[in-house]
Amino acid sequence: MRLTHLILRNIGPFRNPPAISLEFGKNATGYAFFADNGRGKTSIYNAMRWCLFGEVRERATTAGGKRIEGSLRPIVGDGKILMNKDAYENDKVQEMSVMLIAQGKKGQIQVQRIAKSTTTLPRTDDELSIDLSVTIGGNTFSGKKAQEAIESFFPKGLERFFFIDGEALEEYTEMMQSSSLSGLQDDVNAVLRIPALTKGEDDLKMLRQIVKAKIKSSNKASQESTLNRDKARNKQRQLNEAISTVTSVEKSLITVRSKLLETNEKLKGHQEYVEIYKKMDILKAEIKMLEIELSEAANEKMIESKDAWKVLLWAKAGPIYDSFNGQIDDVNNREGIIRALNKEISRDQEAFDAINGICAKCEQPLPDIEKYQNKLSSEIKMKQQKLLEMNNVSAMSSTDLYQSLGDLQKLQPPQRARERILRAEKKWKDRKSRLQNKQEKFANLNSKITAEGKADTDALRVSKGRQEATMTTREKELKNAQDTANAIEIELKNLNRLAGKSSGDSESHAIDLTIGKLIVAINNTITSYRETARKAVEENASSVFLELTNAKGVFSGIHLDKDFKAKIKLSKGGFAVNPSSGMMSMMTISVIDALRRVSGIDAPVFLDTPGRSLDYKHKEELLNYFWKNEGHQFLIFAHSGEFDAQNTISTHSDQLAKAWSLTWPGDHHNCYSCSSENVVFDTTSKTNTCDDCGEKWDIRSNNTMIRELKI
Amino acid sequence: MADDDILLIEFLKHGATQGLSEQLLREIFTHLSNHQFLPAGEREHVRSELQRIIRNNQGD
């Protein structure tokens, strides 16, 4: 992959510079950015990391051989933000973007990542929307798919082997010499692409679990299927038996029906008798019914007749009862009259005895007293006569009369008993009469049948009756047998369906087998590859180191142990003791580059502050090595203290494709456009103006200008 | 994938020992290499594709 363009907008000190073109006619691979501190070397380096991976972290640190991941650099907010400060503080809508254009094996690659504020002044990155789009050979991806696409040509796991931080070389070195390689181990594994196989092994194991579950399920289904097949076979036998029963009953039914038809035919020859028998049968049924009714009527009559004697007796006793009832009234009246007469006689007698001829009020003698006395005496005698007559009447006493009435009342029948008795009697007679009538008719019909005819007809009728009964039984049996057969057939269908559901899963078995073999192949590959790769890395690292070192006769290369712990080998044998820091840096760069080469990833290498810990000769060797034409672009971001721009350009003009300087406007005392020295500084506006070309620039601005240098 | 890739050469060698076809091994290797940096939680489609590759290469 070859980077062709880099377009920065509002990132670091870059406000809106023109696109950086890395396209170049000759086949050189070296690129260099020269700048003083703060001009944006690392910002370009970080801009590309952000564009590709969506994050920029501070430099990692090491402690006791362990690598501690650097903190995440914010895009906006306080502190060391990624976004250009002018854009962040002054723009209406804060937006930062980076676009990379490259040429890969699959055609042009274009990656663009944009961060845009979603609020007026975003304080944190949460207030930004991030959009990523990737186009590879005409296919465009966005979001997660876009990030996956980047992984296919520039894996994040290998970032440290392509974005090399010169200031972190000591950290790499420390880790490479440490007995604890936990920090570098993952990187080494990643660069050797071992995760491709270890993750693949995990994937295959998970896949195998699914396949095995499917096989297990299939086996279970197969077992159930076998069980159901056995059940189906039993059920089939039951069905056969049921069908056999149905057939047998049907045959029997046909036979019975045939015989019945035959009997009916024979009976037609005795039609007269048949008619008579029909009538007699009707009569027999009616007689039976009437007999029942007669029996009920007799029973009713018997119940009602229990009061019949009372009815008969009452015919005589009733009048006596009425007479005694009348006499009681007379006796009661006479006794009242006698009591009244006795009272009157007693009162009259007292009045008669009290007469003395003198008025009780005026005490004067009463006139005609004798006349009055005679009249009173005559009334007394008359009443006494009447009393005598009354007492002489011969009659029963009231007590006797009441006694007799009580006795008679016991003989009194219940109300309407007579009517009920008569009605029951009538009903019984009616039933009896009707029964006799039917019996006579029956006897009459019976008398019409001859003994011979009767015998034949009776025999046929008995046969018919028996055959009809048999037919009814057979019909019931047939229905039951058919129902049973139908039920068994339904069960059989269900069992057959279940039995035929699975017949094993041979494909899953084959896949399982293949997965098992792949897992073994992966395990064996990892084991052997680590050693093969170690040797390859060691060989490559030695080759690089010998190219870089300025004491080629003293060293024979780099030794890597099984954990990729590095040592410098001496030509005379043994290892370098206390090598210089420059030597160690060379060793580290050699191992890193060897790992990059073995990884097989075709991508540019970016080296920030490459010569920090190297002396002049090592720096030169470094550039000579990396800028040699091997197809890989190699970009350095150098401080002017590390590499002098003019010297580097003149020394490496054949290897350099392009070079740029990164400056602030205030760095330019000459016109940066036409290089004229006729520049006038305005102290009020703090601007420089070129007298020759008229270019103006604000010297206070910290927005970096990118100027391509002539090679 | 370059034919001088040591990892691929090793994988083909060990896969062949297991009796697996070169085509299957190459397809698997390319697929796994392309997704080697995808985290474990996002590999569902990687597994589906693995299954498809294995199924398509059955009987070779």
Side-chain angles (χ1 to χ4, degrees):
Chain A
M1 186 181 82
R2 196 176 175 90
L3 194 63
T4 59
H5 291 89
L6 174 63
I7 300 159
L8 309 171
R9 189 160 170 246
N10 295 335
I11 185 162
F14 304 103
R15 187 76 164 106
N16 200 6
I20 301 169
S21 170
L22 288 92
E23 284 187 308
F24 190 63
K26 67 180 183 181
N27 207 17
T29 55
Y31 294 86
F33 290 86
F34 297 101
D36 287 338
N37 281 342
R39 272 44 173 194
K41 296 185 302 293
T42 306
S43 289
I44 297 181
Y45 173 86
N46 283 340
M48 287 185 281
R49 290 165 73 198
W50 181 75
C51 182
L52 290 167
F53 310 122
E55 62 175 39
V56 174
R57 289 189 176 273
E58 295 289 1
R59 187 166 294 125
T61 54
T62 53
K66 285 191 174 181
R67 186 167 183 264
I68 299 162
E69 192 77 48
S71 59
L72 202 65
R73 284 271 301 275
I75 297 170
V76 294
D78 298 323
K80 215 173 161 187
I81 62 171
L82 290 178
M83 188 178 277
N84 178 270
K85 284 207 169 181
D86 267 2
Y88 179 53
E89 288 165 6
N90 303 320
D91 285 0
K92 215 170 187 178
V93 177
Q94 290 76 13
E95 188 174 327
M96 174 182 105
S97 68
V98 179
M99 183 190 281
L100 293 175
I101 301 171
Q103 198 63 38
K105 285 177 186 169
K106 293 178 184 173
Q108 195 186 61
I109 299 168
Q110 185 175 309
V111 183
Q112 185 177 29
R113 196 181 292 268
I114 303 170
K116 194 173 181 181
S117 68
T118 54
T119 56
T120 311
L121 184 63
R123 294 285 175 197
T124 67
D125 291 358
D126 292 338
E127 295 171 71
L128 300 171
S129 69
I130 309 288
D131 289 314
L132 171 68
S133 72
V134 175
T135 303
I136 303 176
N139 298 316
T140 302
F141 309 93
S142 61
K144 206 173 172 181
K145 289 273 178 198
Q147 198 63 58
E148 279 184 24
I150 291 171
E151 286 292 321
S152 70
F153 61 85
F154 216 131
K156 185 174 187 320
L158 304 185
E159 180 187 354
R160 289 211 291 163
F161 294 91
F162 294 87
F163 286 93
I164 304 165
D165 182 355
E167 289 188 30
L169 283 179
E170 285 170 10
E171 169 210 332
Y172 279 80
T173 306
E174 190 183 322
M175 280 196 283
M176 279 184 194
Q177 289 187 306
S178 168
S179 56
S180 167
L181 282 172
S182 57
L184 195 62
Q185 192 74 62
D186 287 345
D187 287 347
V188 170
N189 282 337
V191 86
L192 295 180
R193 287 168 300 138
I194 287 175
L197 295 186
T198 53
K199 286 183 182 176
E201 185 186 356
D202 290 342
D203 289 332
L204 286 167
K205 282 178 178 172
M206 286 177 78
L207 194 58
R208 198 177 197 189
Q209 281 180 358
I210 296 165
V211 173
K212 280 198 179 297
K214 198 177 168 191
I215 291 170
K216 196 177 171 187
S217 164
S218 170
N219 287 343
K220 197 180 167 193
S222 184
Q223 283 171 359
E224 284 176 2
S225 177
T226 307
L227 197 67
N228 284 323
R229 270 199 292 279
D230 290 344
K231 284 182 183 174
R233 272 195 288 275
N234 283 333
K235 202 52 80 178
Q236 184 65 57
R237 274 195 288 276
Q238 289 177 23
L239 182 63
N240 292 343
E241 284 169 15
I243 290 170
S244 169
T245 306
V246 170
T247 312
S248 164
V249 175
E250 276 176 343
K251 274 184 187 171
S252 173
L253 190 59
I254 290 165
T255 308
V256 174
R257 278 180 182 149
S258 164
K259 283 181 179 174
L260 185 61
L261 282 171
E262 210 174 293
T263 307
N264 283 334
E265 280 302 311
K266 284 179 183 171
L267 278 169
K268 280 180 184 173
H270 297 76
Q271 193 57 42
E272 188 187 344
Y273 287 117
V274 170
E275 291 300 321
I276 290 170
Y277 272 116
K278 267 188 187 172
K279 288 177 183 174
M280 284 174 72
D281 284 345
I282 294 166
L283 280 170
K284 203 184 271 180
E286 288 176 343
I287 286 166
K288 201 172 178 183
M289 186 60 72
L290 281 168
E291 281 173 347
I292 293 166
E293 286 183 14
L294 181 65
S295 168
E296 285 172 354
N299 195 35
E300 190 181 332
K301 184 186 160 193
M302 192 179 74
I303 291 164
E304 296 297 342
S305 295
K306 72 177 192 271
D307 291 326
W309 63 277
K310 286 185 179 177
V311 173
L312 291 170
L313 275 177
W314 196 253
K316 298 288 183 190
I320 297 167
Y321 181 86
D322 292 340
S323 165
F324 281 3
N325 219 14
Q327 284 179 41
I328 280 177
D329 289 343
D330 290 347
V331 168
N332 286 339
N333 287 340
R334 192 170 66 244
E335 283 175 356
I337 294 165
I338 290 168
R339 275 194 303 275
L341 284 170
N342 278 332
K343 263 188 181 176
E344 284 176 23
I345 292 166
S346 177
R347 192 181 62 226
D348 290 350
Q349 194 59 51
E350 280 176 14
F352 185 84
D353 291 343
I355 296 170
N356 56 7
I358 303 296
C359 178
K361 289 183 181 175
C362 66
E363 292 178 349
Q364 294 298 312
L366 295 166
D368 298 328
I369 189 72
E370 279 182 11
K371 196 178 171 184
Y372 175 70
Q373 279 179 325
N374 288 339
K375 187 186 171 190
L376 192 58
S377 175
S378 169
E379 281 180 5
I380 290 169
K381 280 178 184 170
M382 192 178 69
K383 285 177 183 173
Q384 283 173 334
Q385 183 59 38
K386 195 176 178 183
L387 184 63
L388 190 65
E389 285 173 8
M390 294 292 275
N391 283 330
N392 283 342
V393 170
S394 172
M396 290 172 76
S397 69
S398 64
T399 306
D400 289 342
L401 280 169
Y402 276 121
Q403 181 67 45
S404 297
L405 276 172
D407 290 342
L408 283 171
Q409 205 163 20
K410 289 175 187 169
L411 300 174
Q412 191 174 18
Q415 276 193 337
R416 306 182 67 78
R418 188 168 181 274
E419 285 82 352
R420 284 201 300 277
I421 290 165
L422 291 173
R423 193 166 58 240
E425 176 73 10
K426 190 183 173 192
K427 187 179 175 182
W428 176 77
K429 280 180 179 170
D430 174 63
R431 299 295 185 275
K432 191 178 177 187
S433 163
R434 283 163 65 186
L435 179 60
Q436 282 171 344
N437 186 275
K438 297 288 180 190
Q439 283 169 337
E440 280 167 15
K441 282 184 181 172
F442 187 83
N444 190 27
L445 285 171
N446 202 29
S447 67
K448 291 179 181 173
I449 299 169
T450 64
E452 192 183 343
K454 185 176 185 301
D456 289 347
T457 313
D458 280 353
L460 286 170
R461 281 167 56 77
V462 167
S463 288
K464 186 185 176 184
R466 201 168 50 237
Q467 285 158 359
E468 282 175 342
T470 306
M471 196 172 75
T472 307
T473 307
R474 292 288 173 273
E475 281 172 348
K476 277 183 187 169
E477 284 174 356
L478 180 62
K479 189 177 181 306
N480 288 340
Q482 283 171 336
D483 287 348
T484 306
N486 287 340
I488 293 171
E489 197 173 1
I490 290 167
E491 286 179 47
L492 181 63
K493 274 183 186 171
N494 193 33
L495 285 169
N496 278 333
R497 185 177 58 78
L498 293 171
K501 213 168 184 178
S502 173
S503 57
D505 190 344
S506 56
E507 191 195 28
S508 293
H509 279 288
I511 290 174
D512 178 50
L513 193 66
T514 305
I515 292 173
K517 287 177 178 179
L518 281 167
I519 290 171
V520 173
I522 285 174
N523 279 323
N524 292 342
T525 302
I526 291 170
T527 307
S528 67
Y529 171 70
R530 279 188 67 82
E531 179 52 21
T532 309
R534 187 198 65 76
K535 281 181 185 167
V537 173
E538 188 180 71
E539 199 177 297
N540 273 281
S542 295
S543 166
V544 176
F545 183 78
L546 290 175
E547 279 195 50
L548 293 177
T549 183
N550 52 7
K552 291 180 173 57
V554 180
F555 306 110
S556 61
I558 301 291
H559 168 78
L560 289 176
D561 69 9
K562 63 180 175 57
D563 293 323
F564 289 78
K565 188 176 160 186
K567 285 179 185 172
I568 300 170
K569 286 196 290 187
L570 297 172
S571 299
K572 62 180 182 183
F575 303 107
V577 181
N578 296 325
S580 67
S581 62
M583 198 74 75
M584 293 303 290
S585 295
M586 285 294 108
M587 178 192 79
T588 303
I589 288 171
S590 302
V591 174
I592 289 172
D593 195 55
L595 283 165
R596 182 184 63 79
R597 282 161 171 252
V598 172
S599 79
I601 301 289
D602 174 28
V605 180
F606 308 88
L607 182 52
D608 191 22
T609 57
R612 184 180 174 276
S613 53
L614 302 177
D615 57 28
Y616 176 76
K617 280 195 171 182
H618 278 122
K619 282 192 279 194
E620 284 304 306
E621 291 299 338
L622 180 80
L623 294 184
N624 282 332
Y625 171 72
F626 283 112
W627 282 351
K628 68 183 177 185
N629 182 14
E630 279 193 341
H632 288 286
Q633 288 172 305
F634 193 91
L635 288 79
I636 64 165
F637 300 85
H639 184 266
S640 51
E642 289 178 291
F643 289 97
D644 177 75
Q646 289 308 320
N647 281 342
T648 306
I649 289 169
S650 62
T651 311
H652 299 278
S653 59
D654 290 341
Q655 297 156 315
L656 262 176
K658 282 193 174 184
W660 297 267
S661 72
L662 308 177
T663 54
W664 286 338
D667 293 338
H668 295 273
H669 303 294
N670 295 346
C671 175
Y672 65 82
S673 181
C674 68
S675 301
S676 167
E677 291 180 355
N678 299 322
V679 174
V680 179
F681 176 64
D682 179 30
T683 53
T684 314
S685 63
K686 305 286 183 193
T687 55
N688 280 338
T689 306
C690 176
D691 272 353
D692 293 339
C693 69
E695 184 73 30
K696 271 188 181 182
W697 61 96
D698 185 345
I699 65 159
R700 293 168 300 179
S701 170
N702 284 345
N703 287 330
T704 295
M705 301 190 301
I706 303 172
R707 190 164 62 100
E708 191 175 333
L709 301 172
K710 283 182 184 172
I711 298 171
Chain B
M1 208 55 65
D3 281 348
D4 60 351
D5 183 335
I6 305 167
L7 184 57
L8 173 62
I9 292 165
E10 290 289 315
F11 184 63
L12 291 177
K13 186 179 81 184
H14 290 291
T17 310
Q18 292 298 316
L20 298 168
S21 74
E22 187 175 331
Q23 186 185 326
L24 168 71
L25 291 166
R26 279 184 183 276
E27 280 186 48
I28 294 279
F29 186 85
T30 305
H31 180 58
L32 292 180
S33 294
N34 287 343
H35 297 90
Q36 64 175 312
F37 299 103
L38 208 59
E42 297 172 14
R43 299 182 67 86
E44 186 60 40
H45 69 286
V46 178
R47 287 190 285 276
S48 299
E49 182 62 13
L50 274 177
Q51 190 171 15
R52 191 195 64 76
I53 294 169
I54 294 167
R55 184 176 283 127
N56 287 353
N57 281 278
Q58 288 300 309
D60 287 353

